[in-house]
């Protein structure tokens, strides 16, 4: 067994692992909807530790909304954990409701993923259950319609049920020395397109190319919001001075090369849920 499957956790993290393991008891063979992000990676690691590598399958959904860098990173984490990983091709882009890009877009994407898993992976691998990496903080957010799809498909959420929040997920990831322990959140590429503007493969490819260029320039975290001919670049506040100073010209050239005519750097920095939260709040209070 690989080291992250044998290292002993201590204190609050050990107690959290016990609660997750209890939630998974009797659920093997288990499929874990896996993206390579810190939440699903910690869930995968804890599932492997609780059930054994031969009783867990990581399932990676692949579509134009998944950046190639993210796909490669997911394979690296699965290999590090010694986990079996299977890919399932999803076709959310064929769904009019997904392309319409309303605030419920994530529901249609997750519903497509869980449907594909149910249709193929469950039978092929004899899965007793499927789980995904929603954590206790995610449950409190109003802008996560994907959780409705998980409920619809009876997908388990062991981290959330065990009260494991984002901070504890990070602590467990570091204790297990996961390669993604300090990886910034990386929502799907479609989240960079304003709601009610159509999601297309061309727009997703532009965003992917521009964000890859940001990483090549040394920005560990960054998002490129697609506003037609304008790219609105979000970076951590501490990176703004470099972006508009020493790296202004290469940043401008790299993002323009992705097909944008104008490039703006957002002084507000990175904003999680920037497009969805305002619409959800209006719906909630309207």
């Amino acid at each position: 067994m690989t080291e992250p499957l044998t290292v002993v956790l201590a204190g609050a993290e050990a107690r959290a692992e016990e609660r997750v393991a209890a939630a998974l008891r009797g659920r093997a063979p288990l499929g874990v909807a896996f993206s390579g992000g810190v939440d699903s990676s910690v869930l995968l690691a804890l599932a492997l530790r609780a059930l054994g590598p031969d009783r867990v399958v990581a399932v990676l959904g692949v579509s134009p909304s998944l950046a190639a860098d993210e796909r490669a990173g997911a394979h690296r984490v699965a290999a590090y954990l010694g986990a079996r990983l299977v890919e399932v091709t999803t076709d959310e882009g064929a769904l009019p409701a997904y392309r319409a890009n309303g605030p419920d877009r994530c529901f249609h994407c997750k519903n497509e993923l869980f449907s594909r898993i149910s249709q193929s992976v469950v039978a092929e691998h004899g899965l007793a259950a499927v789980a995904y990496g929603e954590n206790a903080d995610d449950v409190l957010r109003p802008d996560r319609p994907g959780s409705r799809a998980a409920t619809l498909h009876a997908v388990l959420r062991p981290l959330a049920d065990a009260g494991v929040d984002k901070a504890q997920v990070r602590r467990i990831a570091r204790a297990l020395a996961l390669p993604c322990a300090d990886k910034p959140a990386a929502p799907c590429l479609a989240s960079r397109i304003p709601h009610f503007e159509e999601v297309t493969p061309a727009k997703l490819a532009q965003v992917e190319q521009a964000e890859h260029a940001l990483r090549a320039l040394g920005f560990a975290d960054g998002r490129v919001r697609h506003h037609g001919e304008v790219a609105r670049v979000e970076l951590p506040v501490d990176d703004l001075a470099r972006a508009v100073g020493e790296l202004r010209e290469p940043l401008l050239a790299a993002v323009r090369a992705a097909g944008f005519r104008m490039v703006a750097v957002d002084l507000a920095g990175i904003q999680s849920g920037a497009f969805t939260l305002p619409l959800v709040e209006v719906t909630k209070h309207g």
Side-chain angles (χ1 to χ4, degrees), residues 43-267:
L43 175 59
L44 178 60
L46 295 183
L48 291 165
R49 288 161 65 93
L51 304 175
D54 59 336
R55 305 283 281 166
V56 178
V57 178
V59 186
L60 176 64
V62 177
S63 77
S65 68
L66 177 69
D69 289 349
E70 294 296 316
R71 183 179 183 180
H75 277 267
R76 284 194 295 272
V77 174
Y80 176 77
L81 289 170
R84 288 183 294 163
L85 185 148
V86 299
E87 292 188 344
V88 59
T89 300
T90 61
D91 194 18
E92 61 270 18
L95 304 172
Y98 171 84
R99 294 197 307 272
N101 197 20
D104 63 346
R105 181 201 64 243
C106 190
F107 165 80
H108 299 290
C109 182
K110 283 288 191 292
N111 189 54
E112 166 73 359
L113 172 64
F114 295 141
S115 295
R116 297 280 176 162
I117 292 173
S118 297
Q119 292 163 8
S120 59
V121 184
V122 168
E124 183 178 347
H125 294 273
L127 301 182
V130 176
Y132 85 127
E134 182 178 66
N135 64 57
D137 287 334
D138 294 335
V139 175
L140 303 177
R141 290 186 56 154
D143 62 330
R144 297 184 65 85
S147 64
R148 184 160 54 93
T151 300
L152 182 65
H153 289 271
V155 174
L156 307 177
R157 30 172 75 83
L159 299 178
D161 290 346
V164 180
D165 61 17
K166 177 65 81 173
Q168 190 160 51
V169 166
R170 293 282 184 189
R171 290 196 296 272
I172 294 172
R174 290 174 187 132
L176 299 179
L178 299 185
C180 59
D182 296 307
K183 182 180 184 293
C188 81
L189 296 173
S191 68
R192 316 300 198 268
I193 301 171
H195 287 303
F196 307 113
E197 295 185 11
E198 186 180 9
V199 176
T200 68
K203 290 178 183 178
L204 297 174
Q206 278 185 278
V207 171
E208 179 177 5
Q209 181 179 335
E211 292 191 351
H212 179 80
L214 292 184
R215 291 188 290 275
L217 288 171
F219 296 106
D221 197 5
R223 296 175 191 173
V224 176
R225 306 288 185 181
H226 195 295
H227 296 275
E229 293 186 323
V230 180
R232 177 165 57 87
V233 179
E234 294 181 358
L235 296 166
V237 172
D238 290 345
D239 283 337
L240 293 179
R242 282 198 308 138
V244 299
E246 61 185 282
L247 293 177
R248 184 183 69 84
E249 289 189 8
L251 174 60
L252 179 62
V255 178
R256 278 181 172 170
F260 295 99
R261 192 164 69 87
M262 292 172 281
V263 182
V265 174
D266 196 322
L267 297 182

